[in-house]
Amino acid sequence: MGYIITIEGGEFVGKTSVAIPSITAFFKERGFDTLVCREPGGTPKGEQLRKEIFSKLEQGASPLQLARLFNKGRKINIDEVIKPHIGQHKEKNAVVILDRYLDSTRVYQGLEAGVPMETIHKLEQSFVGTFFPDLTLLLYIPETIFEETLKKRMANDQGSRDNTKWDNGSIKHHLDRQRLYLSLPALSQKRGEKRSFALIDASGTQKQVEQNCVKAASQFLNTRFDN
């Protein structure tokens, strides 16, 4: 039995620093063979493509070009990382935890940058097929405190990360992007995809956000084992 868990959301919500460590510990404590990887990346070929993507981003690559490259990297990750990990642990539960996956391309290159969603889905069909995540944790900041919270986090993160053009932009830009992320469960349901989403309020303390993530993962597992 193998699961794919993806962590999604806009910038500065704690995907890498808070959600992934807490979910990783949760599954390891329950005896899962747990692998964490980022996208694109995870293998020498994937890391090389990652450098290419961000280089072309700085050079002004079109959203469609970026969508193709991200899906190409996704295919590498599936073939070289995800499938081998799940396949070699058939006698024991395995989980792959991904820092971003296809939903980020749907948001950044599709809904935000204007590549038609049907084009995005055709790329997915070519590179990903129906290899969807079992559970997606979607981190967000409530709109009533969005500006205040984001400003604090941007200030705290200054100099601690490699910024891309996606990190920059106005508060409104980041809020608009979050709204696009929050539209993904309905989009997935409309397309008849068999996958689960959990919305995670990422505005609290680190401990509170960790507890929210673990609660969602626990509910997911309970549902699976009950069935």
Side-chain angles (χ1 to χ4, degrees), residues 37-43 45-48 50 73 76-77 81:
C37 56
R38 66 179 180 178
E39 191 194 86
T43 66
K45 191 185 297 184
E47 291 296 333
Q48 183 177 357
R50 181 183 183 87
I76 293 171
N77 215 21
V81 178

Side-chain angles (χ1 to χ4, degrees), residues 5-7 15-16 20 37-39 97-101:
I5 312 294
T6 59
I7 314 298
K15 296 183 298 296
T16 306
I20 288 179
C37 56
R38 66 179 180 178
E39 191 194 86
I97 301 170
L98 281 169
D99 190 344
R100 298 193 182 279
Y101 192 54

Side-chain angles (χ1 to χ4, degrees), residues 181-204:
Y181 264 110
L182 292 175
S183 73
L184 292 175
L187 174 63
S188 175
Q189 184 178 31
K190 183 178 180 181
R191 291 186 57 83
E193 297 167 355
K194 296 181 179 180
R195 47 184 298 209
S196 300
F197 285 86
L199 302 185
I200 306 295
D201 183 342
S203 65

Side-chain angles (χ1 to χ4, degrees), residues 75-142:
K75 176 65 172 171
I76 293 171
N77 215 21
I78 290 171
D79 291 343
E80 297 187 0
V81 178
I82 299 175
K83 286 183 177 178
H85 178 74
I86 292 176
Q88 70 183 6
H89 295 98
K90 290 181 179 179
E91 297 179 359
K92 189 176 182 181
N93 292 334
V95 63
V96 176
I97 301 170
L98 281 169
D99 190 344
R100 298 193 182 279
Y101 192 54
L102 56 82
D103 288 310
S104 283
T105 301
R106 290 181 178 186
V107 168
Y108 284 79
Q109 283 73 54
L111 298 172
E112 183 174 277
V115 177
M117 195 52 59
E118 281 309 307
T119 301
I120 296 290
H121 291 317
K122 286 179 181 178
L123 287 171
E124 291 174 358
Q125 290 167 4
S126 297
F127 290 93
V128 180
T130 57
F131 211 73
F132 294 115
D134 297 286
L135 172 66
T136 297
L137 300 187
L138 188 49
L139 278 66
Y140 73 99
I141 299 170

Side-chain angles (χ1 to χ4, degrees), residues 23 28 31 90 112 123 127 146 149 154 201 218-219 221:
I23 292 298
K28 284 185 175 180
K90 290 181 179 179
E112 183 174 277
L123 287 171
F127 290 93
F146 186 89
T149 304
M154 292 173 77
D201 183 342
S218 180
Q219 290 174 339
L221 281 187

